[in-house]
Short mmCIF file of all heavy atoms in Angstrom, two decimals:
data_model
loop_
_atom_site.label_atom_id
_atom_site.label_comp_id
_atom_site.label_asym_id
_atom_site.label_seq_id
_atom_site.Cartn_x
_atom_site.Cartn_y
_atom_site.Cartn_z
N LYS A 1 22.47 39.85 37.37
CA LYS A 1 22.97 38.76 36.55
C LYS A 1 21.92 38.39 35.51
O LYS A 1 21.94 38.87 34.39
CB LYS A 1 23.35 37.57 37.43
CG LYS A 1 24.54 37.87 38.35
CD LYS A 1 24.87 36.67 39.23
CE LYS A 1 26.04 37.01 40.16
NZ LYS A 1 26.36 35.88 41.07
N PHE A 2 20.98 37.53 35.89
CA PHE A 2 19.90 37.16 34.98
C PHE A 2 18.90 38.31 34.84
O PHE A 2 18.34 38.53 33.77
CB PHE A 2 19.18 35.91 35.50
CG PHE A 2 18.17 35.35 34.55
CD1 PHE A 2 18.57 34.72 33.38
CD2 PHE A 2 16.82 35.44 34.82
CE1 PHE A 2 17.63 34.21 32.49
CE2 PHE A 2 15.87 34.93 33.95
CZ PHE A 2 16.28 34.31 32.78
N TYR A 3 18.71 39.07 35.92
CA TYR A 3 17.86 40.26 35.90
C TYR A 3 18.73 41.51 35.88
O TYR A 3 19.94 41.44 36.14
CB TYR A 3 16.92 40.27 37.11
CG TYR A 3 15.80 39.26 36.97
CD1 TYR A 3 15.97 37.94 37.41
CD2 TYR A 3 14.60 39.60 36.38
CE1 TYR A 3 14.97 37.00 37.26
CE2 TYR A 3 13.59 38.67 36.23
CZ TYR A 3 13.77 37.37 36.66
OH TYR A 3 12.78 36.44 36.50
N THR A 4 18.12 42.64 35.57
CA THR A 4 18.87 43.90 35.45
C THR A 4 18.27 44.94 36.39
O THR A 4 17.06 45.18 36.38
CB THR A 4 18.83 44.42 34.01
OG1 THR A 4 19.32 43.41 33.11
CG2 THR A 4 19.68 45.67 33.87
N PHE A 5 19.15 45.56 37.18
CA PHE A 5 18.72 46.54 38.17
C PHE A 5 19.50 47.85 37.99
O PHE A 5 20.61 47.86 37.47
CB PHE A 5 18.93 46.01 39.59
CG PHE A 5 18.18 44.74 39.87
CD1 PHE A 5 18.77 43.50 39.69
CD2 PHE A 5 16.87 44.79 40.29
CE1 PHE A 5 18.08 42.33 39.93
CE2 PHE A 5 16.15 43.62 40.54
CZ PHE A 5 16.77 42.39 40.36
N ARG A 6 18.89 48.92 38.45
CA ARG A 6 19.57 50.21 38.42
C ARG A 6 20.88 50.13 39.19
O ARG A 6 20.98 49.41 40.18
CB ARG A 6 18.68 51.30 39.02
CG ARG A 6 17.42 51.59 38.19
CD ARG A 6 16.55 52.60 38.93
NE ARG A 6 15.30 52.85 38.21
CZ ARG A 6 14.31 53.56 38.70
NH1 ARG A 6 14.43 54.11 39.92
NH2 ARG A 6 13.20 53.74 38.00
N LYS A 7 21.85 50.87 38.75
CA LYS A 7 23.16 50.86 39.38
C LYS A 7 23.06 51.24 40.85
O LYS A 7 22.42 52.22 41.22
CB LYS A 7 24.09 51.84 38.65
CG LYS A 7 25.54 51.82 39.13
CD LYS A 7 26.16 50.46 38.90
CE LYS A 7 27.58 50.41 39.48
NZ LYS A 7 28.11 48.99 39.39
N ASN A 8 23.69 50.42 41.69
CA ASN A 8 23.78 50.61 43.15
C ASN A 8 22.48 50.30 43.89
O ASN A 8 22.47 50.33 45.12
CB ASN A 8 24.24 52.03 43.51
CG ASN A 8 25.64 52.33 43.00
OD1 ASN A 8 26.51 51.46 42.99
ND2 ASN A 8 25.86 53.56 42.55
N ASP A 9 21.40 49.96 43.18
CA ASP A 9 20.14 49.62 43.85
C ASP A 9 20.29 48.39 44.73
O ASP A 9 19.77 48.35 45.85
CB ASP A 9 19.04 49.38 42.81
CG ASP A 9 17.99 50.48 42.85
OD1 ASP A 9 18.33 51.60 43.26
OD2 ASP A 9 16.83 50.23 42.49
N LEU A 10 20.99 47.37 44.24
CA LEU A 10 21.15 46.13 44.99
C LEU A 10 21.96 46.36 46.26
O LEU A 10 21.64 45.81 47.32
CB LEU A 10 21.81 45.06 44.12
CG LEU A 10 20.99 44.53 42.93
CD1 LEU A 10 21.77 43.48 42.17
CD2 LEU A 10 19.65 43.97 43.39
N ASP A 11 23.01 47.17 46.16
CA ASP A 11 23.85 47.45 47.33
C ASP A 11 23.07 48.21 48.39
O ASP A 11 23.13 47.89 49.58
CB ASP A 11 25.08 48.26 46.93
CG ASP A 11 26.12 47.40 46.20
OD1 ASP A 11 26.06 46.17 46.33
OD2 ASP A 11 26.97 47.98 45.50
N LYS A 12 22.32 49.22 47.98
CA LYS A 12 21.53 50.01 48.92
C LYS A 12 20.48 49.15 49.60
O LYS A 12 20.27 49.24 50.81
CB LYS A 12 20.87 51.19 48.20
CG LYS A 12 21.84 52.27 47.75
CD LYS A 12 21.11 53.37 47.00
CE LYS A 12 22.11 54.43 46.49
NZ LYS A 12 21.40 55.48 45.69
N SER A 13 19.81 48.31 48.80
CA SER A 13 18.78 47.44 49.34
C SER A 13 19.38 46.45 50.33
O SER A 13 18.81 46.20 51.40
CB SER A 13 18.08 46.68 48.21
OG SER A 13 17.16 45.73 48.72
N TYR A 14 20.54 45.88 49.98
CA TYR A 14 21.16 44.91 50.85
C TYR A 14 21.57 45.53 52.19
O TYR A 14 21.39 44.93 53.25
CB TYR A 14 22.39 44.28 50.19
CG TYR A 14 23.15 43.39 51.13
CD1 TYR A 14 22.63 42.16 51.52
CD2 TYR A 14 24.37 43.79 51.66
CE1 TYR A 14 23.31 41.35 52.41
CE2 TYR A 14 25.05 42.98 52.55
CZ TYR A 14 24.51 41.77 52.92
OH TYR A 14 25.17 40.97 53.81
N ASN A 15 22.11 46.73 52.16
CA ASN A 15 22.52 47.41 53.39
C ASN A 15 21.34 47.62 54.34
O ASN A 15 21.49 47.55 55.56
CB ASN A 15 23.18 48.75 53.07
CG ASN A 15 24.53 48.57 52.39
OD1 ASN A 15 25.20 47.56 52.56
ND2 ASN A 15 24.94 49.57 51.61
N GLU A 16 20.16 47.86 53.76
CA GLU A 16 18.96 48.03 54.57
C GLU A 16 18.40 46.69 55.03
O GLU A 16 17.80 46.59 56.10
CB GLU A 16 17.89 48.78 53.76
CG GLU A 16 18.27 50.20 53.38
CD GLU A 16 17.26 50.84 52.45
OE1 GLU A 16 16.28 50.15 52.08
OE2 GLU A 16 17.45 52.01 52.08
N LEU A 17 18.60 45.65 54.25
CA LEU A 17 17.96 44.36 54.48
C LEU A 17 18.77 43.42 55.36
O LEU A 17 18.21 42.57 56.05
CB LEU A 17 17.74 43.70 53.12
CG LEU A 17 16.80 42.49 53.01
CD1 LEU A 17 15.39 42.90 53.32
CD2 LEU A 17 16.89 41.90 51.59
N ASN A 18 20.07 43.59 55.38
CA ASN A 18 20.96 42.61 55.99
C ASN A 18 20.61 42.27 57.44
O ASN A 18 20.56 41.11 57.83
CB ASN A 18 22.41 43.08 55.91
CG ASN A 18 23.39 42.03 56.39
OD1 ASN A 18 23.31 40.87 56.02
ND2 ASN A 18 24.31 42.44 57.23
N LYS A 19 20.36 43.28 58.27
CA LYS A 19 20.10 43.01 59.69
C LYS A 19 18.84 42.17 59.88
O LYS A 19 18.80 41.31 60.77
CB LYS A 19 20.00 44.31 60.46
CG LYS A 19 18.83 45.21 60.11
CD LYS A 19 18.81 46.44 61.00
CE LYS A 19 17.63 47.35 60.66
NZ LYS A 19 17.57 48.54 61.55
N TYR A 20 17.82 42.40 59.05
CA TYR A 20 16.60 41.60 59.14
C TYR A 20 16.85 40.18 58.66
O TYR A 20 16.35 39.21 59.23
CB TYR A 20 15.48 42.24 58.33
CG TYR A 20 15.15 43.65 58.74
CD1 TYR A 20 15.28 44.70 57.85
CD2 TYR A 20 14.70 43.93 60.02
CE1 TYR A 20 14.97 45.99 58.22
CE2 TYR A 20 14.40 45.22 60.41
CZ TYR A 20 14.54 46.25 59.51
OH TYR A 20 14.23 47.53 59.89
N PHE A 21 17.60 40.06 57.58
CA PHE A 21 17.94 38.76 57.03
C PHE A 21 18.66 37.92 58.07
O PHE A 21 18.33 36.75 58.31
CB PHE A 21 18.80 38.96 55.78
CG PHE A 21 18.83 37.78 54.85
CD1 PHE A 21 17.85 37.59 53.91
CD2 PHE A 21 19.86 36.85 54.91
CE1 PHE A 21 17.88 36.50 53.04
CE2 PHE A 21 19.90 35.77 54.05
CZ PHE A 21 18.90 35.60 53.10
N VAL A 22 19.66 38.50 58.72
CA VAL A 22 20.43 37.81 59.74
C VAL A 22 19.56 37.44 60.94
O VAL A 22 19.66 36.34 61.50
CB VAL A 22 21.63 38.67 60.19
CG1 VAL A 22 22.33 38.04 61.40
CG2 VAL A 22 22.62 38.83 59.06
N GLU A 23 18.70 38.36 61.36
CA GLU A 23 17.82 38.11 62.49
C GLU A 23 16.93 36.89 62.25
O GLU A 23 16.75 36.04 63.12
CB GLU A 23 16.96 39.35 62.76
CG GLU A 23 16.00 39.19 63.94
CD GLU A 23 15.15 40.43 64.14
OE1 GLU A 23 15.64 41.53 63.90
OE2 GLU A 23 13.99 40.28 64.54
N ILE A 24 16.39 36.81 61.05
CA ILE A 24 15.51 35.69 60.71
C ILE A 24 16.30 34.38 60.65
O ILE A 24 15.84 33.34 61.11
CB ILE A 24 14.77 35.96 59.38
CG1 ILE A 24 13.88 37.19 59.52
CG2 ILE A 24 13.92 34.75 58.99
CD1 ILE A 24 13.35 37.71 58.19
N LEU A 25 17.50 34.43 60.08
CA LEU A 25 18.35 33.25 60.04
C LEU A 25 18.63 32.71 61.44
O LEU A 25 18.49 31.53 61.72
CB LEU A 25 19.68 33.56 59.33
CG LEU A 25 19.65 33.83 57.83
CD1 LEU A 25 21.03 34.20 57.34
CD2 LEU A 25 19.13 32.64 57.05
N LYS A 26 19.06 33.59 62.32
CA LYS A 26 19.37 33.19 63.69
C LYS A 26 18.14 32.60 64.38
O LYS A 26 18.23 31.58 65.08
CB LYS A 26 19.87 34.39 64.50
CG LYS A 26 21.24 34.88 64.13
CD LYS A 26 21.61 36.06 65.02
CE LYS A 26 22.97 36.62 64.67
NZ LYS A 26 23.31 37.78 65.55
N SER A 27 17.01 33.24 64.21
CA SER A 27 15.81 32.86 64.92
C SER A 27 15.23 31.54 64.46
O SER A 27 14.54 30.87 65.21
CB SER A 27 14.74 33.95 64.79
OG SER A 27 15.20 35.15 65.32
#
């Protein structure tokens, strides 16, 4: 949006990051 990223980079990163993000939220 405000920043510009390579196509599909955000999706790939999110797929790798999501489980850690959720774990930290829960904890």
